[in-house]
Amino acid sequence: MQKEMSALYRAAIWNNTASLAVLETAPLTKELAARHRLSEGAADALGRVLTCTAYLCGWIEERESYIVSVNGNGLLGKIHAFGNGELRLCGSVERDLAADRQADLLSCVGTKGYLSVVRGGGKGLPFSGMCALAKGDIAADFTAYFEESEQRPTAIGLYEGGGVFVQPLTGADESVLLRAREAVQSCLPSMSVREILAAFGAENAEKRPVSFGCTCSREKAERAVLSLGEDAARAVLASEGELSVHCHECNCDYDFTQEDINALFAK
């Protein structure tokens, strides 16, 4: 059976006055929820941040990347997502206090904090933008971010497992943004991607796969161990029996035995 994949669909609409993007991110969210053993509320909040991050990454080159943080002092603490121009993404939450509760999105995210976006990996200095959280419902927060930090007004509609983004193109008049907001609001969570594309007259949209991808590796874990120094690494081994480097983004561990440490510091 073929594995279900997340995807980004993009097309120019309304006589090339606006850009449409439809994200299907349920499979990616499901994988990360399983990796981090997230509650339903935490998975929904992280999924919405991942959806917006995937939309951002759809605009950049392969070597570039985005780091997105939503810190509203809610039940989840900081919600973090990373993605690159290849549309490979990962993410995590600081804590999952929504577990065993019927917590709504607002309680999970919180409203007393900020949304931070950092773009790097390209030519020149990294770009960073930040804005205060608008309402804690992610869609409104990213709408405020695009308008305040990037001066690119964007109509955004998010739902569990995906989202719709409509951005007026350069030269479009005010009526296009008003139309975009109305059109996005008319998209229902029960609609399929095909139905949403058809509603915008974008049946032949470009499709790109969106997948899980973490930047961690055995080599990076080795560098982290080396940065501890040999004495500290051996002290951990003596007390714990092994040394483990944990990646918070994909929730995996890189374990180092006595033999591994001997070989690492003998290089």
Side-chain angles (χ1 to χ4, degrees):
M1 181 180 295
Q2 186 175 6
K3 183 179 179 182
E4 188 179 6
M5 293 290 292
S6 294
L8 163 66
Y9 300 81
R10 187 186 294 281
I13 56 173
W14 305 337
N15 294 320
N16 292 319
T17 60
S19 170
L20 167 71
V22 182
L23 272 298
E24 170 56 61
T25 53
L28 174 62
T29 300
K30 183 177 180 181
E31 177 170 354
L32 279 165
R35 283 177 174 271
H36 295 293
R37 301 179 179 86
L38 297 180
S39 65
E40 184 176 340
D44 182 26
L46 177 59
R48 291 169 190 258
V49 175
L50 285 166
T51 297
C52 292
T53 305
Y55 173 70
L56 285 166
C57 290
W59 292 98
I60 60 177
E61 298 180 1
E62 291 184 0
R63 66 178 181 275
E64 295 181 291
S65 62
Y66 270 106
I67 299 173
V68 175
S69 296
V70 177
N71 190 356
N73 293 297
L75 293 174
L76 305 182
K78 183 182 290 186
I79 305 171
H80 179 265
F82 170 86
N84 60 27
E86 295 180 315
L87 296 181
R88 292 177 59 80
L89 290 93
C90 60
S92 61
V93 301
E94 184 178 5
R95 56 179 182 267
D96 189 1
L97 297 183
D100 301 322
R101 305 187 192 185
Q102 296 297 318
D104 59 16
L105 183 65
L106 185 62
S107 299
C108 286
V109 178
T111 58
K112 298 178 181 179
Y114 61 87
L115 163 64
S116 170
V117 175
V118 178
R119 175 179 173 178
K123 297 179 181 179
L125 296 174
F127 163 83
S128 63
M130 181 180 294
C131 69
L133 294 184
K135 296 182 180 179
D137 73 349
I138 306 301
D141 299 326
F142 273 89
T143 298
Y145 165 77
F146 277 111
E147 188 158 354
E148 295 174 15
S149 295
E150 297 201 7
Q151 289 76 53
R152 292 193 296 164
T154 306
I156 302 174
L158 298 177
Y159 46 85
E160 189 172 346
V164 181
F165 302 75
V166 180
Q167 186 177 111
L169 297 176
T170 302
D173 59 38
E174 184 70 21
S175 64
V176 175
L177 180 59
L178 295 176
R179 182 183 180 184
R181 288 170 176 164
E182 292 175 356
V184 165
Q185 290 176 0
S186 68
C187 294
L188 303 175
S190 59
M191 295 173 68
S192 67
V193 170
R194 180 175 296 181
E195 290 171 332
I196 294 173
L197 292 173
F200 284 92
E203 291 87 346
N204 296 319
E206 173 195 12
K207 178 182 178 181
R208 295 179 61 191
V210 176
S211 61
F212 167 80
C214 187
T215 59
C216 72
S217 66
R218 180 75 180 184
E219 290 73 19
K220 287 185 177 180
E222 289 178 350
R223 290 199 293 271
V225 173
L226 287 170
S227 69
L228 285 175
E230 185 171 1
D231 291 343
R234 293 193 183 282
V236 173
L237 276 173
S239 61
E240 303 293 335
E242 66 176 12
L243 190 154
S244 181
V245 177
H246 181 73
C247 176
H248 292 282
E249 298 307 319
C250 63
N251 200 34
C252 68
D253 295 299
Y254 296 92
D255 298 325
F256 294 84
T257 64
Q258 181 73 58
E259 290 73 19
D260 294 327
I261 296 300
N262 290 341
L264 195 58
F265 285 98
K267 292 180 180 180

